Coordinates of all heavy atoms in Angstrom, one line a residue:
M1 N -6.0 6.6 18.5 CA -7.1 7.0 17.6 C -8.3 6.1 17.8 O -8.2 4.9 17.9 CB -6.7 7.0 16.2 CG -6.6 8.3 15.5 SD -6.2 8.1 13.7 CE -6.1 9.8 13.4
S2 N -9.5 6.7 17.9 CA -10.7 5.8 18.0 C -11.1 5.3 16.6 O -10.7 5.9 15.6 CB -11.8 6.7 18.6 OG -12.3 7.6 17.7
P3 N -11.9 4.3 16.6 CA -12.4 3.8 15.3 C -13.1 4.9 14.4 O -13.0 5.0 13.2 CB -13.4 2.7 15.6 CG -13.0 2.2 17.0 CD -12.4 3.4 17.6
R4 N -13.8 5.8 15.1 CA -14.4 6.9 14.5 C -13.4 7.9 13.8 O -13.6 8.3 12.7 CB -15.3 7.7 15.5 CG -16.2 8.7 14.8 CD -17.1 9.3 15.8 NE -16.9 10.7 15.8 CZ -17.6 11.6 16.6 NH1 -18.5 11.1 17.4 NH2 -17.4 12.8 16.5
D5 N -12.3 8.1 14.5 CA -11.2 8.9 13.9 C -10.6 8.3 12.7 O -10.3 9.0 11.7 CB -10.2 9.2 15.0 CG -10.6 10.1 16.1 OD1 -11.6 10.8 16.0 OD2 -10.0 9.9 17.2
Y6 N -10.4 7.0 12.7 CA -9.9 6.3 11.5 C -10.9 6.4 10.4 O -10.5 6.6 9.2 CB -9.6 4.8 11.9 CG -8.3 4.6 12.6 CD1 -8.2 4.2 13.9 CD2 -7.1 4.9 11.9 CE1 -7.0 4.0 14.5 CE2 -5.9 4.8 12.6 CZ -5.9 4.3 13.9 OH -4.7 4.1 14.5
A7 N -12.2 6.3 10.6 CA -13.2 6.4 9.6 C -13.1 7.8 8.9 O -13.1 7.9 7.7 CB -14.5 6.1 10.1
R8 N -13.0 8.8 9.8 CA -12.9 10.2 9.2 C -11.6 10.3 8.5 O -11.6 10.9 7.4 CB -13.0 11.2 10.4 CG -12.9 12.6 9.9 CD -13.2 13.6 11.1 NE -13.3 14.9 10.5 CZ -12.3 15.8 10.5 NH1 -11.1 15.4 10.9 NH2 -12.4 17.0 10.0
A9 N -10.5 9.8 9.0 CA -9.2 9.9 8.3 C -9.3 9.2 7.0 O -8.8 9.8 6.0 CB -8.1 9.3 9.2
A10 N -9.9 8.1 6.9 CA -10.0 7.3 5.7 C -10.8 8.1 4.7 O -10.4 8.2 3.5 CB -10.7 6.0 5.9
R11 N -11.9 8.8 5.1 CA -12.6 9.6 4.1 C -11.8 10.8 3.6 O -11.8 11.0 2.3 CB -13.9 10.2 4.8 CG -15.0 9.2 5.0 CD -16.3 9.9 5.4 NE -16.2 10.7 6.6 CZ -16.3 10.2 7.8 NH1 -16.5 8.9 8.0 NH2 -16.2 11.1 8.8
L12 N -11.0 11.4 4.4 CA -10.2 12.5 4.0 C -9.0 12.1 3.1 O -8.7 12.7 2.1 CB -9.7 13.3 5.2 CG -10.7 14.0 6.0 CD1 -10.1 14.6 7.3 CD2 -11.4 15.1 5.2
I13 N -8.4 11.0 3.5 CA -7.3 10.4 2.7 C -7.8 10.0 1.3 O -7.2 10.1 0.3 CB -6.6 9.3 3.5 CG1 -5.9 9.9 4.7 CG2 -5.7 8.5 2.6 CD1 -5.4 8.8 5.7
R14 N -9.0 9.4 1.3 CA -9.6 8.9 0.0 C -9.8 10.1 -1.0 O -9.5 9.9 -2.1 CB -10.9 8.2 0.2 CG -11.6 7.8 -1.1 CD -12.9 7.1 -0.9 NE -12.8 5.8 -0.4 CZ -12.4 4.8 -1.2 NH1 -12.3 5.0 -2.5 NH2 -12.3 3.6 -0.7
Q15 N -10.2 11.2 -0.4 CA -10.3 12.4 -1.3 C -9.0 12.7 -2.0 O -9.0 13.0 -3.2 CB -10.9 13.6 -0.5 CG -12.3 13.4 -0.1 CD -12.8 14.5 0.8 OE1 -12.0 15.4 1.2 NE2 -14.0 14.5 1.2
A16 N -8.0 12.7 -1.3 CA -6.6 13.0 -1.9 C -6.2 11.9 -2.8 O -5.7 12.2 -3.9 CB -5.6 13.3 -0.8
A17 N -6.5 10.7 -2.4 CA -6.1 9.5 -3.2 C -6.8 9.6 -4.6 O -6.2 9.2 -5.6 CB -6.3 8.2 -2.5
E18 N -8.0 9.9 -4.5 CA -8.8 10.0 -5.8 C -8.3 11.1 -6.7 O -8.7 11.0 -7.9 CB -10.3 10.1 -5.5 CG -10.9 8.8 -4.9 CD -12.3 9.0 -4.4 OE1 -12.8 10.1 -4.3 OE2 -12.9 7.9 -4.1
H19 N -7.5 12.0 -6.2 CA -6.9 13.0 -7.1 C -5.5 12.6 -7.5 O -4.8 13.4 -8.1 CB -6.9 14.3 -6.3 CG -8.2 15.0 -6.3 ND1 -9.1 14.8 -5.3 CD2 -8.8 15.8 -7.2 CE1 -10.2 15.5 -5.6 NE2 -10.1 16.1 -6.7
G20 N -5.1 11.4 -7.2 CA -3.8 10.8 -7.7 C -2.6 11.1 -6.9 O -1.5 11.0 -7.4
H21 N -2.8 11.5 -5.6 CA -1.6 11.7 -4.8 C -1.0 10.4 -4.3 O -1.7 9.7 -3.5 CB -2.0 12.6 -3.6 CG -2.4 14.0 -4.0 ND1 -1.6 14.9 -4.5 CD2 -3.7 14.5 -4.1 CE1 -2.2 16.0 -4.8 NE2 -3.5 15.8 -4.6
P22 N 0.2 10.0 -4.6 CA 0.7 8.7 -4.3 C 0.8 8.5 -2.8 O 0.6 7.4 -2.3 CB 2.1 8.6 -5.0 CG 2.4 10.0 -5.4 CD 1.1 10.8 -5.5
A23 N 1.2 9.5 -2.0 CA 1.3 9.3 -0.6 C -0.1 9.0 0.0 O -0.2 8.1 0.9 CB 1.9 10.6 0.1
A24 N -1.1 9.7 -0.5 CA -2.5 9.4 0.0 C -3.0 8.0 -0.5 O -3.6 7.3 0.3 CB -3.4 10.5 -0.5
E25 N -2.6 7.6 -1.7 CA -3.0 6.3 -2.2 C -2.4 5.2 -1.3 O -3.0 4.3 -1.0 CB -2.5 6.2 -3.7 CG -3.3 7.1 -4.6 CD -2.6 7.2 -6.0 OE1 -1.5 6.8 -6.1 OE2 -3.3 7.7 -6.9
T26 N -1.1 5.4 -1.0 CA -0.4 4.5 -0.1 C -1.0 4.4 1.3 O -1.3 3.4 1.8 CB 1.1 4.8 0.0 OG1 1.6 4.9 -1.3 CG2 1.8 3.8 0.8
A27 N -1.3 5.6 1.8 CA -1.9 5.7 3.2 C -3.3 5.0 3.2 O -3.6 4.2 4.1 CB -2.1 7.1 3.6
L28 N -4.1 5.2 2.1 CA -5.4 4.5 2.0 C -5.2 3.0 1.9 O -5.9 2.2 2.6 CB -6.2 5.1 0.8 CG -7.6 4.7 0.8 CD1 -8.4 5.0 2.0 CD2 -8.3 5.3 -0.5
G29 N -4.2 2.6 1.2 CA -3.9 1.1 1.1 C -3.6 0.6 2.4 O -4.0 -0.5 2.8
L30 N -2.8 1.3 3.2 CA -2.4 0.8 4.5 C -3.6 0.7 5.5 O -3.8 -0.2 6.3 CB -1.4 1.7 5.2 CG 0.0 1.6 4.5 CD1 0.9 2.8 5.0 CD2 0.7 0.3 4.9
L31 N -4.5 1.7 5.3 CA -5.8 1.6 6.2 C -6.6 0.4 5.8 O -7.1 -0.3 6.7 CB -6.6 2.9 6.0 CG -6.0 4.2 6.6 CD1 -6.9 5.4 6.2 CD2 -5.9 4.1 8.1
Y32 N -6.7 0.1 4.5 CA -7.5 -1.1 4.1 C -6.7 -2.3 4.5 O -7.3 -3.3 5.0 CB -7.6 -1.1 2.6 CG -8.8 -0.3 2.1 CD1 -8.6 0.8 1.2 CD2 -10.1 -0.6 2.5 CE1 -9.7 1.5 0.7 CE2 -11.2 0.1 2.0 CZ -11.0 1.2 1.1 OH -12.1 1.9 0.7
E33 N -5.4 -2.4 4.4 CA -4.6 -3.5 4.8 C -4.8 -3.9 6.2 O -4.9 -5.1 6.6 CB -3.2 -3.3 4.4 CG -2.3 -4.5 4.8 CD -0.8 -4.3 4.6 OE1 -0.4 -3.2 4.3 OE2 -0.1 -5.3 4.8
N34 N -4.9 -2.9 7.0 CA -5.0 -3.1 8.5 C -6.4 -3.0 9.1 O -6.6 -3.1 10.3 CB -4.0 -2.1 9.2 CG -2.6 -2.3 8.9 OD1 -2.1 -3.4 9.2 ND2 -2.0 -1.5 8.1
G35 N -7.4 -2.7 8.2 CA -8.7 -2.6 8.7 C -9.0 -1.5 9.6 O -9.7 -1.6 10.5
L36 N -8.4 -0.3 9.3 CA -8.6 0.9 10.1 C -9.4 1.9 9.3 O -9.1 2.3 8.2 CB -7.2 1.5 10.4 CG -6.2 0.6 11.1 CD1 -4.9 1.3 11.2 CD2 -6.8 0.4 12.5
G37 N -10.6 2.2 9.9 CA -11.5 3.1 9.2 C -12.5 2.5 8.3 O -13.4 3.1 7.8
S38 N -12.3 1.2 8.1 CA -13.1 0.4 7.2 C -12.8 -1.1 7.5 O -11.7 -1.3 8.0 CB -13.0 0.7 5.7 OG -11.7 0.4 5.3
P39 N -13.6 -2.0 7.0 CA -13.2 -3.4 7.2 C -11.9 -3.7 6.4 O -11.6 -3.1 5.4 CB -14.4 -4.2 6.6 CG -15.5 -3.2 6.7 CD -14.9 -1.9 6.5
R40 N -11.1 -4.7 6.9 CA -9.9 -5.1 6.2 C -10.3 -5.6 4.8 O -11.2 -6.3 4.6 CB -9.2 -6.2 7.0 CG -8.0 -6.7 6.3 CD -7.2 -7.7 7.2 NE -6.5 -6.9 8.2 CZ -6.1 -7.3 9.4 NH1 -6.4 -8.5 9.8 NH2 -5.5 -6.5 10.2
N41 N -9.5 -5.1 3.8 CA -9.8 -5.4 2.5 C -8.5 -5.4 1.7 O -8.0 -4.4 1.2 CB -10.8 -4.4 1.8 CG -11.2 -4.8 0.4 OD1 -10.5 -5.4 -0.3 ND2 -12.4 -4.3 0.1
Y42 N -7.9 -6.6 1.6 CA -6.6 -6.7 0.9 C -6.6 -6.4 -0.6 O -5.7 -5.8 -1.1 CB -6.0 -8.1 1.1 CG -5.6 -8.5 2.5 CD1 -5.9 -9.7 3.0 CD2 -5.0 -7.6 3.3 CE1 -5.5 -10.1 4.3 CE2 -4.6 -7.9 4.6 CZ -4.8 -9.2 5.1 OH -4.5 -9.5 6.4
L43 N -7.7 -6.7 -1.2 CA -7.9 -6.3 -2.6 C -7.8 -4.8 -2.8 O -7.2 -4.3 -3.8 CB -9.1 -6.9 -3.2 CG -9.1 -8.4 -3.4 CD1 -10.5 -8.9 -3.9 CD2 -8.1 -8.9 -4.4
A44 N -8.6 -4.1 -2.0 CA -8.6 -2.6 -2.1 C -7.2 -2.1 -1.8 O -6.7 -1.2 -2.4 CB -9.6 -2.1 -1.1
A45 N -6.5 -2.7 -0.8 CA -5.2 -2.2 -0.4 C -4.2 -2.4 -1.6 O -3.5 -1.5 -2.0 CB -4.6 -3.0 0.8
V46 N -4.3 -3.6 -2.3 CA -3.4 -3.8 -3.4 C -3.7 -2.8 -4.5 O -2.8 -2.3 -5.1 CB -3.6 -5.3 -3.9 CG1 -3.0 -5.5 -5.3 CG2 -3.0 -6.2 -2.9
R47 N -5.0 -2.5 -4.8 CA -5.4 -1.6 -5.8 C -4.7 -0.2 -5.6 O -4.2 0.4 -6.5 CB -6.9 -1.4 -5.8 CG -7.4 -0.4 -6.8 CD -8.9 -0.3 -6.8 NE -9.2 1.0 -7.4 CZ -9.8 2.0 -6.8 NH1 -10.1 1.9 -5.5 NH2 -10.1 3.1 -7.4
W48 N -4.8 0.3 -4.3 CA -4.2 1.6 -4.0 C -2.7 1.6 -4.0 O -2.1 2.5 -4.5 CB -4.8 2.1 -2.7 CG -6.2 2.5 -2.8 CD1 -7.3 1.9 -2.3 CD2 -6.7 3.6 -3.6 NE1 -8.5 2.5 -2.7 CE2 -8.1 3.6 -3.4 CE3 -6.1 4.7 -4.3 CZ2 -9.0 4.6 -4.0 CZ3 -7.0 5.6 -4.9 CH2 -8.4 5.6 -4.7
F49 N -2.1 0.5 -3.6 CA -0.7 0.4 -3.6 C -0.2 0.4 -5.1 O 0.8 1.0 -5.4 CB -0.2 -0.9 -2.9 CG -0.3 -0.9 -1.4 CD1 -0.5 -2.1 -0.7 CD2 -0.3 0.3 -0.7 CE1 -0.6 -2.1 0.6 CE2 -0.4 0.3 0.7 CZ -0.6 -0.9 1.4
Y50 N -0.9 -0.3 -6.0 CA -0.5 -0.4 -7.4 C -0.6 1.0 -8.0 O 0.3 1.4 -8.7 CB -1.5 -1.2 -8.2 CG -0.9 -2.6 -8.5 CD1 -1.5 -3.7 -8.0 CD2 0.2 -2.7 -9.3 CE1 -1.0 -5.0 -8.3 CE2 0.7 -4.0 -9.6 CZ 0.1 -5.1 -9.1 OH 0.6 -6.3 -9.4
Q51 N -1.6 1.8 -7.7 CA -1.7 3.1 -8.2 C -0.5 4.0 -7.9 O 0.1 4.7 -8.7 CB -3.0 3.8 -7.8 CG -4.2 3.2 -8.5 CD -5.5 4.0 -8.3 OE1 -6.5 3.4 -8.1 NE2 -5.4 5.3 -8.4
A52 N -0.1 3.9 -6.6 CA 1.0 4.8 -6.1 C 2.3 4.2 -6.6 O 3.2 4.9 -7.0 CB 1.0 4.9 -4.6
A53 N 2.5 2.8 -6.6 CA 3.7 2.2 -7.0 C 4.0 2.5 -8.5 O 5.1 2.7 -8.9 CB 3.6 0.7 -6.8
N54 N 3.0 2.5 -9.3 CA 3.1 2.8 -10.7 C 3.5 4.2 -11.0 O 3.9 4.5 -12.1 CB 1.9 2.3 -11.5 CG 1.8 0.8 -11.7 OD1 2.8 0.2 -11.8 ND2 0.6 0.3 -11.7
Q55 N 3.4 5.1 -10.0 CA 3.8 6.5 -10.1 C 5.3 6.6 -9.6 O 5.8 7.7 -9.5 CB 2.9 7.4 -9.3 CG 1.5 7.5 -9.9 CD 0.7 8.4 -9.1 OE1 0.9 9.6 -9.0 NE2 -0.4 7.8 -8.4
G56 N 5.9 5.5 -9.2 CA 7.2 5.5 -8.8 C 7.4 5.8 -7.3 O 8.5 6.1 -6.8
Y57 N 6.3 5.7 -6.5 CA 6.4 6.0 -5.1 C 7.0 4.8 -4.3 O 6.4 3.7 -4.3 CB 5.0 6.3 -4.6 CG 5.0 7.0 -3.2 CD1 5.6 8.2 -3.0 CD2 4.3 6.4 -2.2 CE1 5.5 8.8 -1.8 CE2 4.3 7.0 -0.9 CZ 4.9 8.2 -0.7 OH 4.9 8.8 0.5
P58 N 8.2 4.9 -3.7 CA 8.9 3.8 -3.2 C 8.2 3.1 -2.0 O 8.3 1.9 -1.8 CB 10.2 4.3 -2.8 CG 10.1 5.8 -2.7 CD 9.0 6.2 -3.7
V59 N 7.5 3.9 -1.2 CA 6.8 3.3 0.0 C 5.7 2.3 -0.5 O 5.6 1.2 0.0 CB 6.1 4.4 0.9 CG1 5.3 3.8 2.0 CG2 7.2 5.3 1.4
A60 N 5.0 2.7 -1.6 CA 4.0 1.9 -2.2 C 4.6 0.7 -2.8 O 4.1 -0.5 -2.8 CB 3.1 2.6 -3.1
Q61 N 5.7 0.9 -3.5 CA 6.4 -0.3 -4.1 C 6.8 -1.3 -3.1 O 6.6 -2.5 -3.3 CB 7.6 0.2 -4.9 CG 7.3 1.1 -6.1 CD 8.5 1.8 -6.7 OE1 9.5 2.0 -6.1 NE2 8.3 2.1 -8.0
N62 N 7.3 -0.8 -2.0 CA 7.7 -1.8 -0.9 C 6.4 -2.5 -0.4 O 6.4 -3.7 -0.2 CB 8.4 -1.0 0.3 CG 8.7 -2.0 1.4 OD1 9.6 -2.8 1.3 ND2 8.0 -1.9 2.5
E63 N 5.3 -1.7 -0.1 CA 4.1 -2.3 0.4 C 3.5 -3.3 -0.6 O 3.0 -4.4 -0.1 CB 3.1 -1.3 0.8 CG 3.5 -0.4 1.9 CD 3.7 -1.2 3.2 OE1 3.0 -2.2 3.5 OE2 4.6 -0.8 4.0
L64 N 3.6 -3.1 -1.8 CA 3.1 -4.0 -2.8 C 4.0 -5.3 -2.8 O 3.5 -6.4 -2.9 CB 3.2 -3.4 -4.2 CG 2.4 -4.0 -5.3 CD1 0.9 -4.3 -4.9 CD2 2.4 -3.2 -6.6
G65 N 5.3 -5.1 -2.6 CA 6.2 -6.3 -2.5 C 5.8 -7.1 -1.3 O 5.8 -8.3 -1.3
V66 N 5.4 -6.4 -0.2 CA 5.0 -7.2 1.0 C 3.7 -8.0 0.7 O 3.6 -9.1 1.1 CB 4.7 -6.2 2.2 CG1 4.0 -6.9 3.4 CG2 6.1 -5.6 2.6
M67 N 2.8 -7.3 0.0 CA 1.5 -8.0 -0.3 C 1.8 -9.3 -1.2 O 1.2 -10.3 -1.0 CB 0.6 -7.1 -1.0 CG 0.2 -5.9 -0.2 SD -0.7 -6.2 1.4 CE -2.4 -6.3 0.8
Y68 N 2.7 -9.2 -2.1 CA 3.1 -10.3 -2.9 C 3.8 -11.4 -2.1 O 3.5 -12.6 -2.3 CB 4.0 -9.9 -4.1 CG 3.2 -9.6 -5.4 CD1 3.1 -8.2 -5.8 CD2 2.6 -10.5 -6.1 CE1 2.3 -7.9 -6.9 CE2 1.8 -10.2 -7.3 CZ 1.7 -8.9 -7.6 OH 1.0 -8.5 -8.8
A69 N 4.7 -10.9 -1.2 CA 5.4 -11.9 -0.4 C 4.5 -12.7 0.5 O 4.8 -13.8 0.8 CB 6.5 -11.1 0.4
K70 N 3.5 -12.0 1.0 CA 2.6 -12.7 2.0 C 1.4 -13.3 1.3 O 0.6 -14.0 2.0 CB 2.2 -11.7 3.0 CG 3.3 -11.2 3.9 CD 2.9 -10.3 5.0 CE 4.0 -10.0 5.9 NZ 3.6 -9.1 7.0
G71 N 1.2 -13.0 0.0 CA 0.0 -13.5 -0.7 C -1.3 -12.8 -0.1 O -2.3 -13.5 0.0
R72 N -1.3 -11.6 0.1 CA -2.4 -10.8 0.6 C -3.1 -10.1 -0.5 O -2.6 -9.2 -1.1 CB -2.0 -9.8 1.7 CG -1.6 -10.5 3.0 CD -1.3 -9.4 4.0 NE -1.1 -10.0 5.3 CZ -0.6 -9.4 6.3 NH1 -0.3 -8.1 6.2 NH2 -0.3 -10.0 7.4
G73 N -4.3 -10.5 -0.9 CA -5.1 -9.9 -1.9 C -4.7 -10.3 -3.3 O -5.3 -9.8 -4.3
L74 N -3.7 -11.2 -3.4 CA -3.3 -11.7 -4.7 C -2.5 -13.0 -4.5 O -2.2 -13.3 -3.3 CB -2.4 -10.7 -5.5 CG -1.5 -9.7 -4.7 CD1 -0.3 -10.4 -4.1 CD2 -1.1 -8.6 -5.5
T75 N -2.1 -13.6 -5.5 CA -1.4 -14.9 -5.4 C 0.0 -14.6 -4.9 O 0.7 -13.7 -5.4 CB -1.4 -15.6 -6.7 OG1 -2.7 -15.9 -7.1 CG2 -0.6 -17.0 -6.6
R76 N 0.5 -15.4 -3.9 CA 1.9 -15.2 -3.4 C 2.9 -15.4 -4.6 O 2.8 -16.4 -5.3 CB 2.1 -16.2 -2.3 CG 3.5 -15.9 -1.6 CD 3.6 -16.8 -0.4 NE 4.7 -16.5 0.4 CZ 5.7 -17.3 0.6 NH1 5.7 -18.6 0.2 NH2 6.8 -16.9 1.3
N77 N 3.8 -14.5 -4.7 CA 4.8 -14.6 -5.8 C 6.1 -13.9 -5.3 O 6.1 -12.6 -5.3 CB 4.3 -13.9 -7.1 CG 5.2 -14.2 -8.2 OD1 6.4 -14.1 -8.1 ND2 4.6 -14.4 -9.4
L78 N 7.0 -14.6 -4.9 CA 8.2 -14.0 -4.3 C 9.1 -13.3 -5.4 O 9.8 -12.4 -5.1 CB 9.1 -15.1 -3.6 CG 8.4 -15.7 -2.3 CD1 9.2 -16.8 -1.7 CD2 8.0 -14.6 -1.3
N79 N 9.0 -13.8 -6.6 CA 9.8 -13.1 -7.7 C 9.2 -11.7 -7.9 O 10.0 -10.8 -8.1 CB 9.8 -13.9 -9.0 CG 10.6 -15.2 -8.9 OD1 11.6 -15.2 -8.2 ND2 10.1 -16.2 -9.5
T80 N 7.9 -11.6 -8.0 CA 7.3 -10.3 -8.2 C 7.5 -9.4 -6.9 O 7.8 -8.2 -7.1 CB 5.8 -10.5 -8.5 OG1 5.6 -11.3 -9.6 CG2 5.1 -9.1 -8.7
A81 N 7.5 -10.0 -5.8 CA 7.7 -9.3 -4.5 C 9.1 -8.7 -4.6 O 9.3 -7.5 -4.3 CB 7.6 -10.2 -3.3
A82 N 10.1 -9.5 -5.0 CA 11.5 -9.0 -5.1 C 11.6 -7.9 -6.1 O 12.4 -6.9 -5.9 CB 12.4 -10.2 -5.4
R83 N 10.9 -8.0 -7.2 CA 11.0 -6.9 -8.2 C 10.5 -5.6 -7.6 O 11.1 -4.6 -7.8 CB 10.1 -7.3 -9.4 CG 10.2 -6.3 -10.5 CD 9.5 -6.7 -11.8 NE 8.0 -7.0 -11.6 CZ 7.1 -6.0 -11.7 NH1 7.5 -4.8 -12.0 NH2 5.8 -6.3 -11.6
W84 N 9.4 -5.6 -6.9 CA 8.9 -4.4 -6.3 C 9.9 -3.9 -5.2 O 10.1 -2.7 -5.1 CB 7.5 -4.6 -5.7 CG 6.5 -4.6 -6.8 CD1 5.7 -5.7 -7.2 CD2 6.0 -3.5 -7.6 NE1 4.9 -5.3 -8.2 CE2 5.1 -4.0 -8.5 CE3 6.4 -2.2 -7.7 CZ2 4.4 -3.2 -9.5 CZ3 5.8 -1.4 -8.7 CH2 4.8 -1.9 -9.5
F85 N 10.4 -4.8 -4.4 CA 11.4 -4.4 -3.4 C 12.6 -3.8 -4.0 O 13.1 -2.7 -3.6 CB 11.8 -5.6 -2.6 CG 10.8 -6.2 -1.6 CD1 10.7 -7.5 -1.4 CD2 9.9 -5.4 -1.0 CE1 9.8 -8.1 -0.5 CE2 8.9 -5.9 -0.1 CZ 8.9 -7.2 0.1
R86 N 13.1 -4.3 -5.2 CA 14.2 -3.8 -5.9 C 14.0 -2.4 -6.4 O 14.8 -1.5 -6.3 CB 14.7 -4.7 -7.0 CG 15.6 -5.8 -6.6 CD 16.2 -6.5 -7.7 NE 15.3 -7.3 -8.6 CZ 14.9 -8.5 -8.3 NH1 15.3 -9.1 -7.2 NH2 14.0 -9.1 -9.1
L87 N 12.8 -2.1 -6.9 CA 12.4 -0.8 -7.4 C 12.4 0.2 -6.3 O 13.0 1.3 -6.4 CB 11.0 -0.8 -8.1 CG 11.0 -1.5 -9.4 CD1 9.5 -1.6 -9.9 CD2 11.7 -0.6 -10.5
A88 N 11.9 -0.2 -5.1 CA 11.9 0.7 -4.0 C 13.3 0.9 -3.4 O 13.7 2.1 -3.1 CB 10.9 0.2 -2.9
A89 N 14.1 -0.1 -3.3 CA 15.4 0.0 -2.8 C 16.3 0.9 -3.7 O 17.1 1.6 -3.2 CB 16.0 -1.4 -2.7
A90 N 16.1 0.8 -5.0 CA 16.8 1.6 -5.9 C 16.6 3.1 -5.7 O 17.4 4.0 -6.1 CB 16.5 1.3 -7.4
Q91 N 15.5 3.4 -5.0 CA 15.2 4.8 -4.7 C 15.6 5.2 -3.3 O 15.2 6.2 -2.8 CB 13.7 5.1 -4.9 CG 13.3 5.0 -6.4 CD 11.8 5.3 -6.5 OE1 11.5 6.5 -6.4 NE2 11.0 4.3 -6.8
G92 N 16.3 4.3 -2.6 CA 16.8 4.6 -1.3 C 16.0 4.0 -0.1 O 16.3 4.3 1.0
S93 N 15.0 3.2 -0.4 CA 14.2 2.6 0.7 C 14.9 1.6 1.4 O 15.2 0.5 0.9 CB 12.9 2.0 0.1 OG 12.2 1.3 1.1
E94 N 15.3 1.9 2.6 CA 16.1 1.0 3.5 C 15.2 -0.3 3.9 O 15.7 -1.4 3.9 CB 16.6 1.7 4.7 CG 17.6 0.9 5.5 CD 18.8 0.5 4.7 OE1 19.3 1.3 3.9 OE2 19.3 -0.7 4.9
I95 N 13.9 -0.1 4.1 CA 13.1 -1.2 4.5 C 12.9 -2.1 3.3 O 12.9 -3.4 3.5 CB 11.7 -0.7 5.0 CG1 11.0 -1.9 5.7 CG2 10.9 -0.1 4.0 CD1 9.8 -1.5 6.5
A96 N 12.9 -1.6 2.1 CA 12.8 -2.5 0.9 C 14.1 -3.3 0.8 O 14.1 -4.5 0.4 CB 12.6 -1.7 -0.3
R97 N 15.2 -2.7 1.1 CA 16.5 -3.4 1.1 C 16.5 -4.5 2.1 O 17.0 -5.6 1.8 CB 17.7 -2.4 1.3 CG 18.1 -1.6 0.2 CD 19.4 -0.8 0.4 NE 19.5 0.2 -0.6 CZ 19.6 1.5 -0.4 NH1 19.7 1.9 0.9 NH2 19.6 2.3 -1.4
R98 N 16.0 -4.3 3.2 CA 15.9 -5.3 4.2 C 14.9 -6.4 3.8 O 15.2 -7.6 4.1 CB 15.5 -4.7 5.6 CG 16.6 -4.0 6.3 CD 16.3 -3.7 7.8 NE 15.0 -3.0 7.9 CZ 14.9 -1.7 8.1 NH1 15.9 -0.9 8.1 NH2 13.7 -1.2 8.2
N99 N 13.9 -6.0 3.2 CA 12.9 -7.0 2.7 C 13.4 -7.9 1.6 O 13.0 -9.1 1.5 CB 11.6 -6.4 2.2 CG 10.7 -5.9 3.4 OD1 10.8 -6.4 4.5 ND2 9.9 -4.8 3.1
L100 N 14.4 -7.4 0.9 CA 15.0 -8.3 -0.2 C 15.8 -9.4 0.5 O 15.9 -10.5 0.1 CB 16.0 -7.4 -1.0 CG 15.3 -6.8 -2.2 CD1 16.3 -5.8 -2.9 CD2 14.9 -7.8 -3.3

């Protein structure tokens, strides 16, 4: 994908995220985390991951755990990271189980 394609994708995903779709919120967080379609912005990534994670979306819960574990966009906190990993793992997320 070209940078232009990521920018367009980010605009479209943002529209869905702003309507409260957890998969879109998570996807937008991933774009911000990786600097795809916009400059890298860990704070924005965390914000979108929180929105989806608080809706019980396991992918976002795992990603939020990663952000806490690495201290990206917030203070590093392994206990909080483990809490988010456990929530995701309880819903069957294999990657969250491995992250624990």
Side-chain angles (χ1 to χ4, degrees):
M1 247 186 184
S2 74
R4 189 172 124 179
D5 293 335
Y6 280 115
R8 182 170 186 268
R11 283 192 305 275
L12 295 172
I13 292 168
R14 175 179 285 281
Q15 290 175 355
E18 289 173 346
H19 284 91
H21 297 286
E25 292 166 346
T26 304
L28 190 57
L30 289 167
L31 290 175
Y32 277 120
E33 180 184 8
N34 293 294
L36 300 171
S38 66
R40 179 173 282 153
N41 184 334
Y42 292 140
L43 289 174
V46 167
R47 176 180 162 246
W48 288 108
F49 291 151
Y50 258 117
Q51 285 191 223
N54 285 327
Q55 294 179 65
Y57 194 63
V59 176
Q61 291 169 337
N62 179 71
E63 291 302 324
L64 196 50
V66 169
M67 299 300 272
Y68 271 106
K70 293 183 177 183
R72 290 184 174 167
L74 34 73
T75 301
R76 186 173 189 240
N77 186 321
L78 296 179
N79 289 327
T80 303
R83 182 173 62 85
W84 285 110
F85 291 145
R86 278 193 290 278
L87 286 170
Q91 295 185 72
S93 172
E94 190 58 39
I95 192 164
R97 283 190 192 122
R98 285 194 306 264
N99 284 335
L100 274 171

